[in-house]
Amino acid sequence: YMGLDVEKENNNLLFICNFEKDGKVEAEYLFINNELGWGWNFITIRYNKQLNYIEVLINDMVVLEKMMVGGQKLSVGHEPHILFGSGNFPHNGFNLNYCEYDIDHLLISKKYLSFNNIKSIYETKDVGDHEVVGLYDFKEKTNYKVYDFTGNCNFIHKIYV
């Protein structure tokens, strides 16, 4: 599990990630003290497999660095997925006071991209040779699907609860 929550009270971020060490999986809740602006924000989560390192950036500024040491690594899910919106539902009684935000774009790549690369891809919708797996513009959608501009047909479907 990996999550990024916006806290309602102060507009800060909470990064949640499951890590595995010695066969045991544990969640870490890492608070980011940098406040999001109330307008447009560009949030990036980058993982470097070779260095076993995660960083979170807000508007191209590193706000969280997590080096996994001592055999610690990201846990692996058997059914990987991404949740947009609430990470939990009211029926389970666990409420982190989520707030509402709009997602305009989503880019998923295999390659570690610079802010300028990412910005260029969003502006041109040209993924070039950047090993982009999915590129989504949530403004260009139907009521049921958000299209993948890479041509990989990784559609994001609307879920009804």
Side-chain angles (χ1 to χ4, degrees), residues 64-145:
L64 175 74
E65 298 174 289
K66 167 70 177 169
M67 180 69 73
M68 292 165 274
V69 294
Q72 186 181 43
K73 60 184 180 180
L74 284 176
S75 67
V76 176
H78 300 288
E79 295 180 358
H81 58 277
I82 299 173
L83 292 177
F84 296 100
S86 179
N88 63 283
F89 297 96
H91 70 270
N92 66 13
F94 184 66
N95 185 0
L96 292 175
N97 295 315
Y98 293 102
C99 65
E100 183 178 310
Y101 56 92
D102 294 324
I103 299 174
D104 292 329
H105 301 281
L106 174 66
L107 179 138
I108 303 171
S109 71
K110 294 180 181 181
K111 189 175 176 181
Y112 201 79
L113 301 175
S114 72
F115 179 77
N116 288 335
N117 288 140
I118 295 169
K119 188 175 178 183
S120 174
I121 290 168
Y122 280 131
E123 289 173 351
T124 65
K125 292 197 177 32
D126 179 10
V127 297
D129 61 349
H130 293 294
E131 297 183 46
V132 174
V133 177
L135 175 63
Y136 307 95
D137 183 337
F138 288 81
K139 294 176 186 173
E140 296 183 31
K141 63 184 186 313
T142 71
N143 288 334
Y144 302 101
K145 290 183 184 177

Side-chain angles (χ1 to χ4, degrees), residues 11 22 26 28 40 50 87 94 105 107 128 147 154 156 161:
N11 220 29
D22 301 326
E26 290 187 3
E28 285 190 29
W40 183 88
Q50 288 78 23
F94 184 66
H105 301 281
L107 179 138
Y147 292 97
N154 295 317
I156 297 176
V161 179

Side-chain angles (χ1 to χ4, degrees), residues 36-47:
L36 285 176
W38 291 99
W40 183 88
N41 291 283
F42 194 85
I43 300 171
T44 307
I45 302 171
R46 295 197 281 204
Y47 169 60

Side-chain angles (χ1 to χ4, degrees), residues 15 18 21 48 50 62 65 70 78 95 103 114 149 158:
F15 181 70
N18 282 352
K21 183 176 180 180
N48 186 314
Q50 288 78 23
V62 176
E65 298 174 289
H78 300 288
N95 185 0
I103 299 174
S114 72
F149 287 95
K158 187 172 185 178

